[in-house]
Amino acid sequence: MSSIIHTFLTSNGIQFFPIELPPSPPHSPKKSNFLLYPNLLSLPPTSTSSSYTFTPQVWSPSWHAVRHAMTTYSHYYHDIVSMDDNNDIIPSFITNVLNPWFQNNTLQQQKVTPKEWNAYVELNEKLADQIIKRYRSHQDIIWIHDYQLLLLPSLLRYKLPQATIGLSIYGSCPNLENLGVHGRTLHRSMLAADLIGVQSEFNMPTLSATTTTTFLQPTVHLKATSFAAKERSRDIRRLFMNKRIILCQDTEPTGVLKTLSAIEHYLSTLQKQQQQQIMDQVTFIHICTHASIPQSLDSIPDLVRQINQLYGTPQSVPIHFYHQDLDVDEYDALLSAADVALMMGSHPHASIAAQTFIARRRSTTTPLIVSHGSPLLSSSSNVIAADQSNPKSLASTLAYALLEENQTIAPASLKQQPSFLEKLVQKQQNHQTILLNPTQLNEAYRSAKQRLFLFDYDGTLTPIVSNPDDARPSRALLRYLQALCHDPANVVWIVSGRDQATLESWIGSSVQGIGLSAEHGSFMKLPGEGSIWVDMLATADMGWQSTALEIFESFTAQTPGTVVEQKKASITWHYRNAHDSDFALKQVEACFEQLQKISGVDILRGKMNLEVRSLLVNKGNVVQRIQQSVGADFVLCAGDDRTDEDMFRALKKEPAYCVLIGPQDKETEARYSVPTSEQFVASVGQLAAISSNTQSTL
Ligand SMILES: O=P(O)(O)OC[C@H]1O[C@H](O[C@H]2O[C@H](CO)[C@@H](O)[C@H](O)[C@H]2O)[C@H](O)[C@@H](O)[C@@H]1O
């Protein structure tokens, strides 16, 4: 049962409400929603503005979508929590740094003080805590809305390594790396999300192995075209009778110049006679609103005048140029009167304008020229891509769009793109592990005060080999473990299926201060000098052992190449070296069936082995016990086989680095993976070096 945790910051405060839908709303029987959301009442009212300033539209997708959800499903919400009573406090880092950067790609403030940054971190932490408290593993999806809470992805990822996290930026994503050290932190944090949605391609962040990006369609909520707009549209068409109207709209000053240059180029390449014909057939109406381009466009009127003088006649003016805010009806009228529209640029305003044109255009065959990368290219018919910075290519796209036959292209069936949420759900379903990033691990290690290590042995700290006796630890590994144990901030445990004697002679005898757990927790030896082995099953009934041994021995006799490894409290049957592997696999199934008849035991399918142990122990219990006694703020737990999944599961709710040694797509409870034990040991070596260096400088 999936549910969504929405996180949002209102523009006027840090108050938010987590709101939950009960498990079974009738129209969505399998889903419950869980929303973290700001004060609904503080949302700006739906735009009633009479002019197109574009600002309300830029915000409206998110406001509208959530407001719609809130009102439609409001009777299902509960658990409304207000995080902070003070509505007006918004960290200045958001207002002075993030807002100008994301909205206008400008910097208002050169330096961010530690106090400002800390306030921002604190806000993100508060929200993260609220989400973590409510998050239900394997059920919930976390959806962070917009750019204000960019530290959330990494804070959540650290504590909820397996969570599916989406981040939607309702606009473009300017390059955060230009914001110095804090920008880089935010950039890295964004990459902890599984899916990032942006409304335009502008400066997409560099992606990590696990983060993907997608375009968000701006949802423009429009009223039906008014009667006045329809009338006005007819007037415009009458005014330009027998002419094709090319409507150009720019939302960035540089775009205006580029569009005009392309028009100029288009006209200049025509022969004199053709120019005359085209001018009789076509007129350009260029609009740019004050709201989107507030500054004056000094040199542009000259360029327009120049083009009009060169190519116009007393009967026909090539370009009608308007730098002014237009009345809604006037704007709608222009959109529906146009025969071709050119709405380019990467700014979200351009996306909104293009989307509005799609909604208002005369027919689905009316061509629209947009920039490469626009999400409209794949979702709407007759949308053509062009490069605005190349006047020659833009001119030829214009010529192409003007061709009569392009006006009669049958409307392509609109491709239904999966929504952001659908993609997020897909991500949740095929969740892969994240390749462990040693640099990130090292950073977390450095900043932790108390650390706990829970290492499986075979396949994790040593590669799997065909003979169990050959899986001895390397010297380097023993050195690393010793360095970790020397650091007073560390507690190090080996949690293995191996027996006491092997662990003691291979590791315990060389590494001072290490904790050992043998046979899946049947025997434990605490870290620290002088500690002794404790038999955790001292009082347990072990009567099952003889029956299990008999079964294993009989299968060994029938299956050449297989061997039994008898340990104190568990028995392992190895079939890695079976002479006939197909036959061995069948024997494993038959053996498994017989073992199932024994009560009080767990039968484990290990790496080319079957293992029987008491039901009373497993690595999960071991980890829980250790972890409770240590209280670490950094936990690194690594393993490679199914018995290790118990450890990962036990740490599910903890801020732990659970690392699977194996392929990234292997099904596991671990959040991270490292392909081989050699690579993992190298990472452990780096942590050991950090501790050794710190110790030597103390
Ligand atoms: O919990 P672990 O430390 O991973 O121990 C699990 C079992 O590991 C050993 O068997 C496995 O490793 C052998 C050496 O690489 C390999 O030959 C065998 O095929 C694997 O199953 C060990 O022999 C068992 O006792 C452990 O339970």
Side-chain angles (χ1 to χ4, degrees):
M1 194 159 52
S2 267
S3 80
I4 307 153
I5 300 180
H6 291 266
T7 317
F8 215 108
L9 189 80
T10 52
S11 53
N12 70 337
I14 55 171
Q15 188 176 44
F16 76 98
F17 296 106
I19 300 153
E20 192 175 14
L21 286 177
S24 302
H27 43 283
S28 168
K30 290 219 162 123
K31 282 183 185 167
S32 66
N33 280 335
F34 196 107
L35 302 168
L36 281 184
Y37 190 68
N39 184 352
L40 182 66
L41 304 175
S42 70
L43 291 180
T46 315
S47 169
T48 49
S49 157
S50 61
S51 68
Y52 267 85
T53 63
F54 290 100
T55 311
Q57 278 82 357
V58 169
W59 287 100
S60 65
S62 40
W63 300 134
H64 274 279
V66 185
R67 183 200 286 273
H68 176 76
M70 298 285 288
T71 38
T72 312
Y73 306 117
S74 58
H75 44 299
Y76 297 118
Y77 302 150
H78 59 89
D79 187 24
I80 296 177
V81 176
S82 167
M83 190 181 85
D84 197 313
D85 287 337
N86 190 342
N87 247 356
D88 300 320
I89 298 172
I90 209 166
S92 59
F93 184 76
I94 294 181
T95 44
N96 297 347
V97 180
L98 292 182
N99 285 352
W101 192 244
F102 273 84
Q103 290 172 24
N104 306 317
N105 202 11
T106 54
L107 259 185
Q108 248 173 37
Q109 186 178 322
Q110 288 306 323
K111 270 201 115 185
V112 177
T113 65
K115 197 174 163 206
E116 285 174 304
W117 175 249
N118 291 343
Y120 178 68
V121 174
E122 209 176 291
L123 167 70
N124 279 270
E125 283 173 348
K126 268 186 184 178
L127 277 154
D129 286 349
Q130 295 290 332
I131 296 169
I132 289 158
K133 252 192 233 163
R134 291 163 176 83
Y135 175 78
R136 293 168 309 166
S137 181
H138 286 95
Q139 293 178 47
D140 294 343
I141 286 175
I142 300 169
W143 187 354
I144 301 159
H145 296 269
D146 234 340
Y147 61 82
Q148 290 89 347
L149 301 164
L150 288 184
L151 278 181
L152 270 186
S154 58
L155 290 170
L156 293 169
R157 178 62 70 222
Y158 183 54
K159 301 241 173 169
L160 306 172
Q162 280 287 19
T164 302
I165 302 173
L167 170 67
S168 298
I169 310 271
Y170 299 105
S172 58
C173 185
N175 193 350
L176 281 163
E177 291 186 329
N178 293 349
L179 286 186
V181 62
H182 298 316
R184 285 194 291 279
T185 305
L186 298 179
H187 183 176
R188 269 204 309 277
S189 171
M190 282 176 78
L191 299 184
D194 296 287
L195 184 65
I196 302 174
V198 289
Q199 275 182 349
S200 81
E201 186 181 35
F202 191 51
N203 279 317
M204 293 272 253
T206 321
L207 296 185
S208 67
T210 48
T211 310
T212 45
T213 54
T214 183
F215 283 114
L216 296 171
Q217 294 273 7
T219 323
V220 181
H221 296 265
L222 295 171
K223 293 190 196 134
T225 317
S226 71
F227 179 74
K230 284 181 189 156
E231 279 288 288
R232 188 74 194 104
S233 178
R234 274 192 283 273
D235 289 348
I236 296 170
R237 291 207 65 81
R238 267 197 295 272
L239 187 69
F240 297 105
M241 208 162 7
N242 301 328
K243 284 203 173 181
R244 313 267 292 285
I245 300 170
I246 304 175
L247 180 69
C248 309
Q249 181 174 354
D250 277 294
T251 47
E252 289 152 277
T254 49
V256 179
L257 207 66
K258 287 175 188 163
T259 300
L260 293 174
S261 308
I263 297 173
E264 217 271 305
H265 190 89
Y266 169 66
L267 295 173
S268 69
T269 50
L270 301 171
Q271 308 257 325
K272 195 83 196 141
Q273 202 189 349
Q274 271 180 312
Q275 278 170 1
Q276 200 48 59
Q277 274 174 0
I278 288 288
M279 287 301 55
D280 288 344
Q281 293 165 3
V282 163
T283 194
F284 291 90
I285 299 180
H286 190 291
I287 54 175
C288 48
T289 62
H290 273 299
S292 57
I293 306 180
Q295 58 269 69
S296 74
L297 298 166
D298 289 340
S299 59
I300 285 165
D302 288 343
L303 182 57
V304 174
R305 212 172 301 124
Q306 201 180 309
I307 298 172
N308 284 347
Q309 272 168 8
L310 259 175
Y311 304 103
T313 62
Q315 298 82 38
S316 88
V317 177
I319 304 179
H320 299 264
F321 185 81
Y322 302 102
H323 182 202
Q324 62 192 65
D325 287 340
L326 294 170
D327 174 79
V328 174
D329 289 338
E330 185 73 23
Y331 183 65
D332 282 350
L334 277 170
L335 296 182
S336 48
D339 294 283
V340 173
L342 194 137
M343 292 172 160
M344 311 200 71
S346 51
H347 195 278
H349 290 168
S351 233
I352 303 284
Q355 181 94 356
T356 311
F357 176 74
I358 296 281
R360 294 291 192 236
R361 65 182 168 174
R362 294 170 65 201
S363 91
T364 48
T365 59
T366 308
L368 166 66
I369 304 171
V370 293
S371 297
H372 287 286
S374 162
L376 291 170
L377 285 163
S378 55
S379 62
S380 306
S381 64
N382 242 13
V383 179
I384 309 162
D387 179 4
Q388 199 183 20
S389 56
N390 182 344
K392 200 169 160 197
S393 103
L394 184 54
S396 54
T397 311
L398 249 181
Y400 170 79
L402 277 168
L403 286 178
E404 201 67 52
E405 54 268 33
N406 287 326
Q407 303 282 310
T408 54
I409 296 171
S413 58
L414 299 188
K415 281 185 211 153
Q416 264 302 329
Q417 298 288 311
S419 69
F420 184 81
L421 186 56
E422 280 160 349
K423 286 185 182 166
L424 212 47
V425 171
Q426 269 167 21
K427 283 251 171 196
Q428 188 193 31
Q429 282 158 1
N430 340 309
H431 221 292
Q432 284 206 336
T433 46
I434 299 173
L435 281 179
L436 186 70
N437 176 340
T439 318
Q440 193 196 5
L441 187 74
N442 295 352
E443 268 177 42
Y445 181 85
R446 274 197 193 92
S447 56
K449 292 192 174 57
Q450 175 68 65
R451 314 180 192 106
L452 172 63
F453 297 86
L454 300 155
F455 295 132
D456 162 57
Y457 183 70
D458 286 280
T460 298
L461 296 181
T462 58
I464 291 290
V465 290
S466 63
N467 177 5
D469 291 340
D470 293 341
R472 288 176 169 272
S474 67
R475 284 211 197 140
L477 171 67
L478 294 173
R479 249 197 346 267
Y480 300 156
L481 292 175
Q482 189 59 78
L484 290 182
C485 290
H486 268 152
D487 187 330
N490 293 343
V491 173
V492 187
W493 276 87
I494 305 290
V495 185
S496 171
R498 289 276 183 172
D499 61 18
Q500 290 164 273
T502 309
L503 291 184
E504 194 62 72
S505 88
W506 285 4
I507 301 168
S509 59
S510 323
V511 182
Q512 315 305 310
I514 197 161
L516 299 173
S517 160
E519 299 191 41
H520 307 280
S522 305
F523 305 91
M524 290 177 73
K525 187 180 155 202
L526 292 174
E529 262 175 54
S531 63
I532 50 156
W533 283 98
V534 177
D535 181 353
M536 306 302 286
L537 295 173
T539 56
D541 175 6
M542 303 298 278
W544 55 267
Q545 280 182 309
S546 53
T547 323
L549 186 61
E550 243 173 64
I551 296 173
F552 276 144
E553 279 177 344
S554 115
F555 275 92
T556 306
Q558 296 163 31
T559 323
T562 62
V563 289
V564 175
E565 180 188 355
Q566 193 177 356
K567 298 178 267 190
K568 260 196 184 166
S570 54
I571 312 169
T572 310
W573 182 46
H574 292 275
Y575 56 91
R576 181 174 297 278
N577 300 321
H579 298 173
D580 179 343
S581 50
D582 289 343
F583 175 66
L585 285 179
K586 285 186 192 130
Q587 290 288 81
V588 168
E589 291 317 308
C591 182
F592 190 89
E593 223 171 89
Q594 291 209 17
L595 293 169
Q596 274 185 317
K597 293 179 188 143
I598 308 174
S599 60
V601 297
D602 231 358
I603 311 152
L604 311 166
R605 290 173 190 271
K607 285 201 161 159
M608 306 290 252
N609 75 33
L610 263 192
E611 193 154 15
V612 185
R613 59 147 200 238
S614 163
L615 250 187
L616 300 174
V617 288
N618 70 56
K619 289 187 181 184
N621 300 341
V622 175
V623 158
Q624 250 165 3
R625 212 171 295 142
I626 299 172
Q627 191 247 335
Q628 276 161 12
S629 66
V630 175
D633 56 346
F634 172 98
V635 180
L636 174 59
C637 173
D640 71 316
D641 68 25
R642 288 190 214 175
T643 62
D644 303 318
E645 294 297 319
D646 289 332
M647 298 202 278
F648 302 148
R649 219 165 286 124
L651 292 168
K652 205 88 229 180
K653 295 261 168 209
E654 300 305 319
Y657 280 94
C658 289
V659 184
L660 171 86
I661 313 304
Q664 232 189 321
D665 57 359
K666 188 172 166 185
E667 205 180 307
T668 176
E669 299 280 344
R671 173 67 186 165
Y672 299 92
S673 66
V674 172
T676 65
S677 63
E678 288 89 343
Q679 282 162 295
F680 181 68
V681 170
S683 264
V684 173
Q686 290 187 20
L687 303 182
I690 295 171
S691 275
S692 301
N693 293 341
T694 321
Q695 298 298 303
S696 63
T697 53
L698 288 178

